């Protein structure tokens, strides 16, 4: 008498004979497979995700009709809602159909519940430097999920390591129809809920090995070696030469490890394939998502690059002494006059002192601008005291702006230097990218290096004509001449002759007319190329 009726299913169980009318087609499981909505034996129950999951706590349960249950049985829906009432919930955007399947058909004896859109299970409020949550991506037509070469490399690693092409096709359909909920990315893990053929979505994760400290040091050194690499990363681009610096940045076949709470044991199942295709779209828009997957956040990487550039700039400034300047000492000019001898001058300081800290005041000047002006004035005063000459007196407005930007280490990576670059570029009528390139030329050769970057000219016969035979004698290919430029046939290395008689080396990505100064100027064109540290088969 006490046993409940055996033909009454639980409150949250969908009717087995009524699949959703607009759900995508499902694979037919084998005869011995568990039901389609049952999780694997080693997975947590699908109606209560694990408490340590970085997504939300409770998947939606109000999309399936409910059947009456005995009065003595507590419904899982009520128990789940009371245990998580204090946790924040984040509803999915109304325009996203990713998790909005049609309710299953019901028989005449069961009244359907009022349909409403399920809530998103992402938790963007938990985001931090090492955790980023992206809202559901809208549906898209076509089979291409990536436009960039690194996004296509991710897709290639997925498809080359897959064991079943048909599951990939269904995964592309799921991704294209927007069945993937918000995606959370942490070091070594991509996590999302994917709506399958059942009302309850599946919990899907894709794992990728993170890089160790040695690999990150090699990556940072390669990024800091070329200013173009840093500029490309700030523009949300991934240079191919940076990705091929000896660090396994992009995954290869078999590196992606998908896991899903569905009963399908394919590698990968269609839900994991859908998440991988949507992740390729995220990588396409922001390569820092790939770097976060490998273990480092965007702010951490930019700060590390800024510190590395500052260390290199300080070491280079120590090794480079002041250049001798012509002139006559005042003591020699006034030696014939009978004047009272002056006391011995005090020795000049070794370097200018640091300016004081300027507090921010409402309506007052910008503390960063005051610090920049005071630092520059102290450096000019120290140079004038030691050498008797102001190096800024003959500069143009643009040259002075480039000089001010070049005096700050960091190449525009920190928030302060980015604000300085933007302010100087706006005042000079240029873009921050043009200013960054000009700063690289200034650090290569000062005002002469900036003139070589911006002022092509026609050199007379002599040194320029003798450069090509010297390059051929060094077993280098025939460089193409144009004005004062000599360009490698492959289009990735260039030499420019300055009016001071020095050769300046430039580099660009092959096939792109995007030249950046590299190396140290030299009187010998072969010596200018040797300073780049390029391989011998140049």
């Amino acid at each position: 008498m006490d046993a409940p009726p055996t033909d009454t299913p639980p409150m949250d169980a969908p009717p087995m004979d009524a699949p959703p009318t607009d759900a995508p087609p499902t694979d037919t499981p084998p005869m011995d497979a568990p039901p389609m909505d049952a999780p694997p034996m080693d997975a947590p129950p699908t109606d209560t995700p694990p408490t340590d999951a970085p997504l939300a706590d409770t998947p939606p349960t109000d999309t399936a009709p409910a059947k009456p249950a005995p009065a003595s049985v507590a419904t899982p829906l009520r128990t789940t809602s009371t245990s998580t009432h204090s946790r924040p919930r984040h509803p999915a955007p109304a325009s996203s159909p990713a998790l909005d399947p049609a309710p299953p058909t019901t028989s005449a004896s069961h009244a359907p519940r009022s349909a409403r859109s399920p809530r998103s299970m992402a938790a963007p409020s938990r985001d931090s430097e090492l955790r980023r949550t992206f809202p559901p991506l809208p549906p898209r037509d076509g089979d291409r999920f990536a436009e960039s070469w690194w996004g296509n490399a991710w897709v290639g690693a997925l498809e080359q390591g897959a064991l079943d092409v048909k599951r990939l096709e269904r995964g592309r359909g799921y991704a294209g129809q927007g069945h993937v909920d918000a995606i959370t990315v942490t070091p070594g893990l991509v996590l999302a809920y994917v709506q399958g053929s059942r009302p309850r979505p599946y919990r899907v994760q894709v794992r990728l090995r993170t890089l160790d400290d040695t690999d990150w040091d090699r990556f940072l050194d390669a990024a800091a070696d070329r200013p173009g690499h840093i500029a490309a990363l700030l523009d949300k681009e991934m240079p191919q030469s940076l990705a091929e610096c000896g660090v396994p940045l992009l995954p290869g076949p078999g590196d992606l490890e998908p896991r899903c709470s569905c009963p399908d044991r394919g590698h990968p199942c269609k839900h994991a394939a859908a998440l991988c295709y949507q992740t390729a779209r995220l990588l396409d828009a922001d390569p820092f998502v790939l770097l976060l997957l490998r273990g480092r956040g965007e702010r951490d990487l930019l700060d590390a690059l800024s510190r590395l550039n500052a260390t290199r700039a300080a070491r280079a400034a120590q090794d480079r002494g002041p250049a001798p300047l012509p002139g006559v000492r005042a003591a020699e000019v006034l030696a014939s006059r009978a004047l009272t001898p002056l006391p011995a001058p005090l020795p000049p300081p070794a370097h200018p002192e640091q300016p004081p800290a300027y507090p921010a005041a409402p309506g007052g000047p910008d503390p960063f601008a005051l610090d920049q002006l005071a630092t520059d004035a102290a450096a000019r005063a120290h140079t004038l005291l030691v050498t008797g000459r102001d190096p800024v007196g003959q500069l143009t407005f643009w040259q002075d702006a480039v000089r001010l930007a070049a005096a700050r280490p960091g190449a525009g990576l920190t928030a302060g230097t980015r604000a300085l670059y933007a302010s100087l570029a706006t005042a000079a009528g240029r873009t921050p990218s043009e200013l960054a390139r000009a700063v690289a030329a200034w650090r290569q050769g000062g005002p002469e290096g900036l003139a070589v970057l911006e002022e092509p000219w026609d050199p007379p016969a002599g040194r320029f004509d003798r450069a090509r035979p010297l390059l051929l004698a060094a077993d280098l290919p025939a460089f193409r001449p144009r004005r004062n430029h000599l360009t490698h046939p492959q289009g990735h290395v260039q030499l420019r002759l300055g009016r001071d008689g020095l050769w300046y080396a430039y580099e660009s990505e092959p096939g792109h007319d995007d030249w950046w100064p590299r190396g140290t100027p030299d009187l010998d064109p072969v010596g200018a190329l040797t300073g780049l540290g390029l391989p011998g088969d140049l």
Side-chain angles (χ1 to χ4, degrees):
M1 295 295 291
D2 298 331
T6 58
D7 56 349
T8 303
M11 285 291 290
D12 59 346
M16 297 302 293
D17 56 350
T21 57
D22 57 350
T26 59
D27 297 332
T28 302
M31 294 299 295
D32 56 350
M36 290 298 292
D37 57 348
M41 295 301 293
D42 56 350
T46 56
D47 56 350
T48 306
T51 57
D52 58 349
L55 294 180
D57 305 35
T58 307
T61 60
D62 53 0
T63 58
K67 295 184 178 181
S72 60
V73 180
T75 62
L77 176 62
R78 181 174 301 136
T79 302
T80 304
S81 62
T82 56
S83 62
T84 60
H85 69 280
S86 62
R87 306 289 292 272
R89 295 183 181 273
H90 304 274
S95 61
S96 174
L99 293 178
D100 194 13
T105 58
T106 57
S107 61
S109 61
H110 300 91
R113 298 175 61 182
S114 59
R116 59 179 181 178
S117 300
R119 292 181 291 269
S120 174
M121 288 172 286
S125 61
R126 302 181 188 175
D127 282 2
S128 61
E129 172 67 10
L130 294 178
R131 185 185 190 277
R132 297 178 63 182
T133 301
F134 300 89
L137 297 173
R140 64 180 303 170
D141 298 330
D143 292 337
R144 290 184 60 86
F145 285 86
E147 301 295 336
S148 62
W149 71 267
W150 60 90
N152 285 313
W154 174 276
V155 174
L158 165 69
E159 295 178 346
Q160 293 174 22
L163 301 179
D164 189 353
V165 178
K166 293 187 178 297
R167 286 184 171 87
L168 290 180
E169 294 177 357
R170 296 189 182 95
R172 280 195 296 269
Y174 275 23
Q177 296 167 14
H179 282 245
V180 181
D181 195 9
I183 300 175
T184 297
V185 181
T186 57
L189 179 66
V190 182
L191 183 61
Y193 281 89
V194 178
Q195 182 67 48
S197 59
R198 297 293 178 177
R200 190 185 310 281
Y202 296 107
R203 185 175 185 271
V204 185
Q205 61 183 12
V206 178
R207 295 186 178 273
L208 182 65
R209 183 182 68 85
T210 58
L211 302 179
D212 55 22
D213 293 340
T214 303
D215 289 334
W216 280 118
D217 291 342
R218 189 182 300 114
F219 175 82
L220 293 174
D221 288 336
D225 280 343
R226 300 187 184 182
H229 286 165
I230 300 175
L233 287 176
L234 293 176
D235 289 338
K236 304 302 182 182
E237 297 285 338
M238 175 63 70
Q240 193 162 358
S241 57
L242 179 59
E244 297 173 354
C245 64
V247 177
L249 196 60
L250 290 165
D255 289 348
L256 301 178
E257 300 180 8
R259 299 180 184 178
C260 182
S261 62
C262 74
D264 187 3
R265 297 304 183 185
H267 183 82
C269 68
K270 54 184 177 293
H271 313 106
L275 175 57
C276 288
Y277 282 117
Q278 293 293 66
T279 304
R281 297 174 64 182
L282 297 182
L283 300 182
D284 218 22
D286 188 355
F288 280 102
V289 176
L290 177 62
L291 299 176
L292 175 58
L293 262 174
R294 287 300 192 180
R296 297 288 286 270
E298 178 177 357
R299 186 185 308 167
D300 185 20
L301 278 174
L302 293 181
D303 289 345
L305 282 173
S306 176
R307 290 192 298 269
L308 183 58
N309 274 347
T311 302
R312 292 187 176 185
R315 188 180 298 116
Q318 269 187 341
D319 297 340
R320 185 173 59 248
L325 299 175
V328 179
R329 296 185 62 83
E332 298 177 4
V333 176
L334 302 176
S336 58
R337 300 178 61 182
L339 297 176
T340 304
L342 297 174
L346 296 175
H351 54 80
E353 298 294 333
Q354 291 292 330
Y358 299 97
D366 183 14
F368 177 78
L370 288 177
D371 177 82
Q372 176 69 20
L373 291 176
T375 303
D376 182 66
R380 291 177 59 186
H382 182 266
T383 304
L384 183 62
L385 176 64
V386 175
T387 64
R389 177 169 172 256
D390 184 5
V392 187
Q394 303 300 323
L395 297 182
T396 64
F397 185 88
W398 168 241
Q399 289 173 336
D400 195 34
V402 175
R403 179 192 66 85
L404 286 174
R408 297 285 295 193
L413 293 175
T414 63
T417 51
R418 283 198 296 270
L420 173 65
Y421 271 43
S423 176
L424 292 176
T426 302
R430 304 291 186 98
T431 64
S433 297
E434 292 176 338
L435 180 60
R437 198 186 308 268
V439 166
W442 186 276
R443 290 175 176 171
Q444 185 187 38
E448 289 295 335
L450 183 60
V452 170
L453 172 68
E454 298 183 335
E455 300 172 6
W457 60 290
D458 297 317
R463 290 179 51 81
F464 187 83
D465 297 330
R466 291 192 295 270
R468 298 184 69 196
L470 291 175
L471 295 173
L472 291 174
D475 294 331
L476 295 173
F479 280 53
R480 300 190 303 269
R482 182 177 180 273
R483 303 196 74 179
N484 64 322
H485 299 174
L486 290 176
T487 306
H488 194 279
Q490 297 180 3
H492 66 289
V493 176
Q494 188 180 88
L495 288 172
R496 299 186 181 185
L497 180 62
R499 296 181 185 272
D500 56 352
L502 297 178
W503 289 96
Y504 294 77
Y506 280 70
E507 281 191 356
S508 173
E509 292 289 338
H512 296 76
D513 191 18
D514 186 27
W515 298 102
W516 283 81
R518 278 292 310 277
T520 305
D522 200 305
L523 290 171
D524 183 14
V526 179
L529 292 177
T530 305
L532 297 180
L534 297 174
D537 56 350
L538 177 64

